[in-house]
């Protein structure tokens, strides 16, 4: 009887040891799974971080590529009465420039505000012209005309600022002019004033172009 009891105790001890070994193996397996999950999460975070960095690089690239100053001069809404109610459409007049002597304007129409502005900006980029600038102001006095709108532009001394309102100010700021005197005469329609201002710019004479055409240097031209 005593020998049988000893054998039973030994079997119980062996069974307990086997259970402990199996528990340790399961713990090791669980630890390995946890480590694998943690490494997977780390890789995932790294991937997300790379994605964020990629998006940041994209934003920086967009910031660098956005070289033009965009100014919305006028946004108009029209309504058309149809069977189901009223249908709205929008028109946008936009002026753009690089603040280095290049300006353009565009007019766009669409059923959505953002689309109308986008169309006007695209047209403005295709119709850019050179604005002569000398010491932050225009080279000489000039008058522009479009229909019943007259615009007068005069050069000004440094520190005067842009003495202009509405569309003329937007065009001068986009072109990089810092000092100018202006007067709008006649029709105050913003579209007509923009056209008259660009007529002024097209009549301006550039000293470098004139000196090159005359075969003289700038010093000889200015005396």
């Amino acid at each position: 009887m005593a020998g049988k009891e000893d054998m039973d105790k030994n079997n119980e001890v062996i069974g307990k040891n086997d259970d402990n070994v199996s528990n340790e193996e399961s713990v090791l397996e669980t630890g390995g799974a946890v480590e694998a999950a943690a490494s997977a999460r780390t890789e995932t975070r790294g991937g997300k971080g790379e994605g964020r960095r990629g998006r940041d690089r994209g934003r920086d690239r967009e910031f660098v590529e956005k070289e033009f100053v965009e100014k919305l001069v006028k946004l108009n809404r029209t309504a058309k009465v149809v069977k189901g109610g009223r249908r709205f459409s929008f028109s946008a007049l936009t002026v753009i420039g690089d603040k280095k002597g290049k300006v353009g304007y565009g007019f766009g129409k669409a059923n959505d505000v953002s689309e109308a502005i986008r169309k006007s900006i695209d047209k403005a980029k295709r119709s850019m012209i050179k604005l002569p600038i000398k010491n932050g102001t225009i080279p000489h006095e000039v008058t522009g005309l479009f229909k019943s709108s007259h615009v007068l532009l005069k050069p000004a001394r440094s520190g005067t600022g842009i003495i202009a309102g509405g569309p003329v100010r937007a065009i001068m700021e986009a072109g990089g002019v810092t000092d100018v005197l202006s007067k709008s005469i006649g029709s105050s329609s913003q579209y007509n004033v923009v056209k008259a201002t660009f007529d002024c710019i097209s009549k301006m004479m550039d000293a470098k172009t004139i000196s090159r055409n005359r075969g003289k240097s700038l010093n000889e031209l200015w005396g």
Side-chain angles (χ1 to χ4, degrees):
M1 293 292 291
K4 190 179 289 188
E5 289 178 359
D6 293 337
M7 289 178 64
D8 291 339
K9 288 181 181 178
N10 291 333
N11 291 333
E12 289 178 2
V13 171
I14 292 171
K16 287 180 180 179
N17 292 333
D18 292 339
D19 291 339
N20 292 333
V21 171
S22 61
N23 289 335
E24 290 177 0
E25 289 178 354
S26 62
V27 167
L28 290 174
E29 290 177 357
T30 306
V34 169
E35 290 178 0
S39 62
R41 282 197 298 272
T42 305
E43 291 176 359
T44 305
R45 290 196 193 101
K48 288 182 180 178
E50 290 175 0
R52 290 195 200 98
R53 285 193 291 273
R55 287 196 295 272
D56 293 339
R57 284 195 294 269
R59 289 196 201 98
D60 295 339
R61 196 178 301 114
E62 288 176 2
F63 181 76
V64 171
E65 289 175 355
K66 193 173 181 181
E67 55 183 353
F68 296 113
V69 176
E70 302 165 0
K71 292 185 177 293
L72 182 64
V73 177
K74 184 178 181 180
L75 182 65
N76 190 34
R77 186 188 74 173
T78 59
K80 180 182 178 182
V81 179
V82 295
K83 185 177 180 180
R86 290 191 298 172
R87 183 177 298 166
F88 294 100
S89 63
F90 301 89
S91 61
L93 177 63
T94 309
V95 172
I96 68 169
D98 61 354
K99 285 188 172 290
K100 297 177 183 177
K102 288 185 70 177
V103 289
Y105 75 96
F107 185 75
K109 294 191 292 184
N111 293 329
D112 184 60
V113 176
S114 59
E115 185 68 14
I117 295 173
R118 186 192 64 80
K119 285 183 178 180
S120 65
I121 291 173
D122 290 342
K123 290 182 180 179
K125 288 180 180 178
R126 294 196 297 267
S127 65
M128 297 192 74
I129 62 174
K130 184 173 177 56
L131 171 62
I133 300 175
K134 181 175 181 285
N135 297 329
T137 186
I138 59 177
H140 57 85
E141 182 178 331
V142 64
T143 303
L145 173 67
F146 181 76
K147 293 187 177 180
S148 60
S149 291
H150 298 252
V151 172
L152 172 65
L153 297 178
K154 285 184 177 183
R157 297 182 59 139
S158 177
T160 303
I162 300 175
I163 310 301
V168 181
R169 173 180 287 273
I171 295 168
M172 295 296 109
E173 287 179 351
V177 176
T178 57
D179 306 289
V180 70
L181 300 171
S182 72
K183 181 66 178 177
S184 178
I185 306 167
S187 173
S188 60
S189 169
Q190 292 175 321
Y191 184 78
N192 289 355
V193 172
V194 167
K195 292 281 284 186
T197 307
F198 273 85
D199 185 50
C200 288
I201 296 172
S202 64
K203 293 177 181 177
M204 288 182 190
M205 294 181 286
D206 187 16
K208 292 182 181 179
T209 305
I210 294 173
S211 63
R212 186 169 57 249
N213 293 339
R214 294 183 182 179
K216 295 182 179 182
S217 65
L218 282 174
N219 293 330
E220 293 173 347
L221 186 65
W222 291 112

